[in-house]
Amino acid sequence: MPSLLRTEAEERASLVDVRSYDIALDLTKGDELFGSATTIRFGCTTPHASTFVELRPQEVHSITLNGNPIDVSDVKDGRLWLDHLEADNELVVDATMAYVRDGEGMHRAIDPQDGQAYLYGSPASSTAGKIYACFEQPDLKAPYNVRVKAPQEWAVIANGAAREAADGWRTFETTRPIATYFFTVCAGPFAVQQAEHDGIPLGIYVRATLADQLAEQADEIFTVTQQGFDYYHRVYGIRYPWGKYDQVFVPEFNMGAMENPGCVTLRDEFVFQGHASRAEHLLRATVIIHEMAHMWFGDLVTMQWWDDLWLNESFAEFLAQQGTAEATEFSEAWVDFSAIRKNWGYAADRAPSTHPIAGTPAPDANSALENLDGITYPKGASALRQLAAYIGEDVFLSGVRKYLQTHEFGNASLQDFLYAMSEASGQNIEDWAQAWLLTPGTDVLEISTDGDRVVINRSTPEQFPAQRPHVTDIAAYRHGVQVARADVRIDSDRTEVHGLKLGQAPNLLLPNESDRTWAIVALDETTQAKLPDELPHIEDATVRGVVWSSLLNGLALGTVNPALLLDTFEAAWPVEDVDPLLEAVATMTTGLLPGRFLTVAHTPAALDRLAATGIRVFEAAAASDSRRLTAARLVVATSADIQLLREWLAGRGLPAFLTDDDQFRWSVIGRLASLGAMEIAEIEDWRTKDPSVSGVLRSLSARTRIPSEETKAWAWSQLTEANDNPSSHELGAVARSFFGATEQEITRPYVERFFTELPKLSSKLGDMVLHLLAADGYPTTVVEESTVELAERALHGDLPAGVRRSFVDATSRLREQLRSQERFG
């Protein structure tokens, strides 16, 4: 199917004025198909002109334009061409559509626990035509009138509030103008909790088998939601414009969440089925606040075209951290952002696919999805944080309000945003925007000293020269105590710091100690060597986060020995007292070291040290439940002690809150499987005991992890020989678990097959799913030149765009691992 070109979108936007959609969906036609009847009313600026709508049906029954029939065979390659347009037009399309399993269209999922079906619309950037006939581009917004026919016992949720029900049909209130990719309908036997805040009706929906968990967690979700509304009403000065606010936690969702006005969809893993750490509660709160930010940035004011996707996501990311930190109990949100989100962004910005925050070429609609990455999200958020520091937070906020008020219910571009900021600040910020928003790359900050003279050296990637100003700070530490600090503005490659009185030489001299800017801090080897002794004593969690970030990025840059990271982890991790930082560091360390930056030969000993460190925290008498959970997860991910794992599987030696926790139990099962200490039959027995969605996915993962030729052959067939309608989540469970940290002798024969067979799945899977499988399944643990050679050979072939990008970036990371292993052994 052709992807909409930007040139086509611009031509169509100059021709067409969409006035309304009337959509009727019949969800009672069986397990595979649904009815879709659409009436579009639109104006045309040029009499007798031609244009097209997107339509990807299973079957078309009838089409009329201004009362005149159109041959249904005119629908080709996902487009219906319309000729002889008038000043006022009415297009009526009656079609049958197919449900999807890859999350790109009207997704239909079956809960294996009770066999019930759940449906939700997920149009993404280019699949709304699988649900209804439409002009599928972000700048052709229109009001929607929606009717849905569904079983009487089902809940049906749409963008507008429910108005009436008659003859099996539910009718919903007319929406304000929205873009096509925000349209959704969710339907199924959902359980619901309802409330109201500040005149806004609130609803939370989950599949029926999660009703008990929702009842336990609804108060927290509602509280965060209410705090978010109060925060945004105060910040924006514009009331929430979409009537009611429903949050629907749906199964098999490809993304974290989607900001459909009035009907936000979120992956249902956010309704916790086992005991959750504080970091997981923080993540859920941040996602809720993030999607709510979109009600203004993205929904109220929508980008003109996909090259300004950052106007949606960077703002939502920035405001989600700030709103969560200021308005909810999770005041450590920015620390978590520093430790997790920014490191994701730094990795994206040094990858071959790096791109500017704004103005990234998006020649077609599908290419927009490729840039939903760590640059659009955390780097963009960091740039906005810098802009607020650069022009002043009050001025920044004034500009934001002006921007929203000027373009509400319409569309805007980068230039519209810059105009609002310049008008509010009285400054020309074009140079700032050129350096920060329109030039890729991350600056590296290093310190040089000569007695009391301290200089911050700023280096910029050679291929992307820029003069990025940084409003930041620097601080000195000795035995964990801050002995000096100064604010600093970096405007050149060498900035001498004034007002920083060091006295005795510090153990740690740290630029960007409050993490206000976007830059990697490079510490010299002498300072690095002191970190195992110094880091455990530093009281400021933000500073600790910056240090951890320096170490983790130093692995990729080849400036930090993996052995030093392991030494620092053993010394500092057990005394970390901010739970999200505790979990983030454990997750990243175990994700980067074993079988990646550490050789296969060094991996078992490193895993033993990580597991022993986890045991120290787990057995600490004063540890909270959240800390013990994080520590137990670390032990399970790294321990080779089969006896201990078997005891934990049986519920022995665990705190009461974990003894019957299915999610934790599956982690133990997965680890035993990877050690070759769990047979397929036992895994299947546990799956029978836990028939939930999570049980099915985790059993697939555990079985895939068994280090035997037979199970790897079975898993590969599950991935590459799937039927015509596979579940994207089941495929993902297999892909993420296939290439382990130590079983290269078994998995090496599949490396070439990964590069040759995975791209062929494009005939069965949507672009987003295939892109994720290529990224998540990449054999980064087979750290050999032969893997690079196979990847480069594949890149010379014809690959789907998303797969190509995944291969390019993952191969770059693999080269980083190879360089590190060559340097440090």
Side-chain angles (χ1 to χ4, degrees):
M1 299 290 181
S3 179
L4 179 69
L5 299 176
R6 178 173 189 163
T7 52
E8 293 176 316
E10 290 173 342
E11 180 180 352
R12 189 163 64 175
S14 69
L15 187 69
V16 169
D17 170 28
V18 186
R19 296 167 183 169
S20 70
Y21 285 95
D22 287 1
I23 299 174
L25 302 180
D26 185 350
L27 308 180
T28 64
K29 289 183 173 291
D31 297 346
E32 298 181 0
L33 304 172
F34 65 97
S36 174
T38 307
T39 299
I40 312 175
R41 297 177 181 86
F42 62 99
C44 177
T45 60
T46 306
H48 311 300
S50 299
T51 190
F52 61 90
V53 296
E54 281 78 5
L55 179 63
R56 297 169 65 176
Q58 186 76 11
E59 181 182 1
V60 180
H61 307 296
S62 66
I63 307 171
T64 63
L65 176 63
N66 300 326
N68 301 311
I70 295 177
D71 193 329
V72 298
S73 64
D74 287 350
V75 180
K76 297 175 182 178
D77 292 329
R79 293 181 175 182
L80 167 62
W81 278 92
L82 308 173
D83 299 319
H84 308 297
L85 295 177
E86 301 174 4
D88 302 298
N89 301 275
E90 181 178 273
L91 174 68
V92 180
V93 178
D94 184 13
T96 296
M97 306 293 201
Y99 294 116
V100 300
R101 292 296 309 281
D102 62 2
E104 298 183 38
M106 182 62 78
H107 189 91
R108 185 176 188 271
I110 300 295
D111 187 336
Q113 195 165 350
D114 62 5
Q116 299 269 34
Y118 293 87
L119 317 175
Y120 57 90
S122 186
S125 66
S126 59
T127 54
K130 290 184 177 182
I131 305 173
Y132 64 106
C134 59
F135 293 99
E136 191 170 23
Q137 59 189 76
D139 58 342
L140 291 179
K141 299 168 74 171
Y144 280 69
N145 297 287
V146 177
R147 295 192 307 136
V148 178
K149 187 176 184 181
Q152 187 64 36
E153 65 275 15
W154 280 15
V156 181
I157 314 101
N159 300 100
R163 190 172 66 193
E164 60 185 16
D167 301 324
W169 288 88
R170 327 281 177 90
T171 303
F172 298 87
E173 297 283 353
T174 302
T175 72
R176 304 295 293 270
I178 64 174
T180 52
Y181 74 103
F182 291 139
F183 168 83
T184 194
V185 165
C186 305
F190 286 101
V192 60
Q193 295 281 332
Q194 294 178 312
E196 183 177 304
H197 179 69
D198 197 15
I200 304 167
L202 308 176
I204 307 172
Y205 295 81
V206 298
R207 49 191 165 90
T209 51
L210 290 177
D212 290 344
Q213 288 87 345
L214 176 60
E216 295 172 355
Q217 299 170 46
D219 284 348
E220 180 181 326
I221 296 172
F222 278 133
T223 296
V224 170
T225 302
Q226 292 161 0
Q227 291 168 332
F229 273 121
D230 291 343
Y231 175 77
Y232 287 130
H233 285 160
R234 182 173 69 253
V235 168
Y236 292 140
I238 300 173
R239 276 193 60 81
Y240 172 69
W242 304 106
K244 54 89 174 178
Y245 193 75
D246 290 323
Q247 297 174 91
V248 188
F249 292 82
V250 296
E252 299 181 352
F253 201 48
N254 288 339
M255 300 173 284
M258 182 63 198
E259 63 269 20
N260 316 300
C263 185
V264 174
T265 43
L266 309 93
R267 58 170 53 220
D268 65 4
E269 289 92 336
F270 285 126
V271 178
F272 307 128
Q273 298 179 60
H275 199 83
S277 66
R278 181 170 176 85
E280 289 169 311
H281 285 270
L282 165 59
L283 175 60
R284 181 171 68 186
T286 305
V287 170
I288 290 171
I289 302 295
H290 177 111
E291 300 310 318
M292 190 179 293
H294 278 310
M295 298 300 115
W296 290 266
F297 274 96
D299 297 4
L300 181 65
V301 180
T302 307
M303 64 208 167
Q304 199 80 30
W305 180 246
W306 300 107
D307 58 342
D308 275 325
L309 186 63
W310 79 282
L311 283 170
N312 293 11
E313 299 303 344
S314 298
F315 265 98
E317 181 88 355
F318 168 64
L319 290 162
Q321 309 304 322
Q322 188 159 285
T324 303
E326 293 183 14
T328 77
E329 68 170 282
F330 300 102
S331 58
E332 69 270 43
W334 280 116
V335 176
D336 184 71
F337 177 78
S338 173
I340 296 180
R341 304 291 285 182
K342 290 186 75 171
N343 287 313
W344 170 42
Y346 290 141
D349 212 16
R350 63 174 170 262
S353 65
T354 186
H355 56 86
I357 295 169
T360 303
D364 62 85
N366 282 348
S367 63
L369 296 176
E370 296 177 26
N371 291 327
L372 287 170
D373 58 16
I375 297 170
T376 301
Y377 287 86
K379 184 183 180 183
S382 298
L384 292 173
R385 196 180 187 190
Q386 268 294 288
L387 179 58
Y390 188 75
I391 64 176
E393 292 190 4
D394 291 342
V395 173
F396 174 79
L397 182 56
S398 175
V400 167
R401 289 172 173 169
K402 179 68 174 178
Y403 169 81
L404 292 173
Q405 291 164 358
T406 301
H407 302 286
E408 62 179 359
F409 298 112
N411 297 81
S413 66
L414 168 64
Q415 289 306 314
D416 295 319
F417 171 74
L418 295 181
Y419 177 80
M421 290 295 123
S422 295
E423 188 177 48
S425 65
Q427 302 179 43
N428 184 338
I429 62 170
E430 292 290 338
D431 289 345
W432 184 94
Q434 181 64 43
W436 273 100
L437 301 180
L438 298 174
T439 306
T442 298
D443 293 344
V444 175
L445 304 181
E446 297 179 84
I447 300 295
S448 60
T449 59
D450 181 9
D452 287 336
R453 186 168 177 264
V454 176
V455 173
I456 300 178
N457 301 292
R458 180 193 65 185
S459 58
T460 302
E462 291 183 6
Q463 66 272 41
F464 304 117
Q467 291 295 324
R468 272 180 288 269
H470 296 269
V471 180
T472 184
D473 46 21
I474 182 172
Y477 291 87
R478 191 181 306 117
H479 307 305
V481 177
Q482 186 184 98
V483 294
R485 182 192 175 281
D487 290 319
V488 61
R489 178 162 169 160
I490 300 171
D491 288 309
S492 62
D493 291 344
R494 287 178 55 83
T495 301
E496 186 169 351
V497 179
H498 301 285
L500 189 71
K501 298 179 180 179
L502 293 180
Q504 183 181 347
N507 293 332
L508 173 64
L509 191 54
L510 190 69
N512 195 32
E513 64 107 21
S514 63
D515 202 30
R516 279 188 287 173
T517 195
W518 176 267
I520 292 174
V521 173
L523 302 175
D524 61 74
E525 291 185 4
T526 301
T527 301
Q528 289 181 26
K530 297 175 182 177
L531 289 179
D533 293 326
E534 185 71 17
L535 187 58
H537 302 291
I538 294 177
E539 295 184 1
D540 190 320
T542 298
V543 174
R544 297 196 300 272
V546 172
V547 172
W548 281 117
S549 179
S550 174
L551 289 173
L552 293 163
N553 282 284
L555 289 179
L557 297 174
T559 59
V560 170
N561 190 330
L564 172 69
L565 177 61
L566 191 56
D567 290 344
T568 307
F569 185 91
E570 280 186 314
W573 192 80
V575 297
E576 177 54 58
D577 61 0
V578 173
D579 286 359
L581 188 54
L582 184 85
E583 184 166 311
V585 172
T587 300
M588 288 186 290
T589 302
T590 56
L592 289 173
L593 289 184
R596 291 177 173 82
F597 282 94
L598 287 175
T599 65
V600 172
H602 286 96
T603 288
L607 289 172
D608 288 344
R609 291 172 66 184
L610 292 170
T613 307
I615 287 291
R616 286 171 57 192
V617 175
F618 178 77
E619 293 180 345
S624 66
D625 286 354
S626 179
R627 287 179 64 78
R628 297 194 76 185
L629 175 60
T630 299
R633 287 173 173 170
L634 173 62
V635 174
V636 168
T638 56
S639 178
D641 187 338
I642 294 173
Q643 181 178 351
L644 172 67
L645 295 171
R646 280 287 174 183
E647 288 288 309
W648 283 8
L649 181 61
R652 294 188 290 269
L654 291 172
F657 71 87
L658 282 180
T659 55
D660 293 315
D661 190 314
D662 284 337
Q663 305 302 299
F664 181 75
R665 184 180 291 118
W666 276 115
S667 297
V668 178
I669 292 168
R671 180 58 179 164
L672 286 168
S674 69
L675 294 170
M678 175 76 70
E679 299 292 335
I680 293 173
E682 188 176 2
I683 294 172
E684 289 303 301
D685 284 344
W686 284 110
R687 187 190 64 79
T688 301
K689 296 173 185 176
D690 178 16
S692 67
V693 171
S694 177
V696 170
L697 295 177
R698 286 173 174 254
S699 66
L700 272 173
S701 175
R703 186 170 174 180
T704 300
R705 294 174 69 180
I706 295 175
S708 73
E709 293 181 358
E710 294 78 13
T711 54
K712 293 298 181 182
W714 168 86
W716 192 256
S717 69
Q718 295 297 302
L719 184 62
T720 61
E721 300 172 15
N723 58 40
D724 290 335
N725 203 21
S727 160
S728 57
H729 278 217
E730 291 174 2
L731 293 174
V734 174
R736 285 188 294 273
S737 306
F738 192 86
F739 292 101
T742 55
E743 63 264 24
Q744 278 79 349
E745 291 302 318
I746 297 171
T747 58
R748 187 176 290 108
Y750 290 94
V751 175
E752 182 174 6
R753 297 181 66 181
F754 174 84
F755 291 114
T756 57
E757 296 179 20
L758 190 76
K760 296 178 182 178
L761 295 177
S762 61
S763 62
K764 299 179 180 180
L765 302 175
D767 293 336
M768 181 184 293
V769 173
L770 199 56
H771 174 72
L772 293 173
L773 291 180
D776 293 345
Y778 190 97
T780 50
T781 54
V782 188
V783 188
E784 300 169 358
E785 288 290 348
S786 60
T787 306
V788 173
E789 293 169 3
L790 289 167
E792 290 177 339
R793 187 188 308 168
L795 288 167
H796 286 299
D798 184 20
L799 296 173
V803 172
R804 177 174 297 278
R805 176 164 176 169
S806 293
F807 283 3
V808 167
D809 288 352
T811 304
S812 177
R813 291 193 294 274
L814 186 63
R815 288 192 180 99
E816 292 172 347
Q817 294 168 197
L818 277 166
R819 287 194 297 267
S820 178
Q821 289 191 10
E822 288 168 2
R823 178 179 180 187
F824 298 111

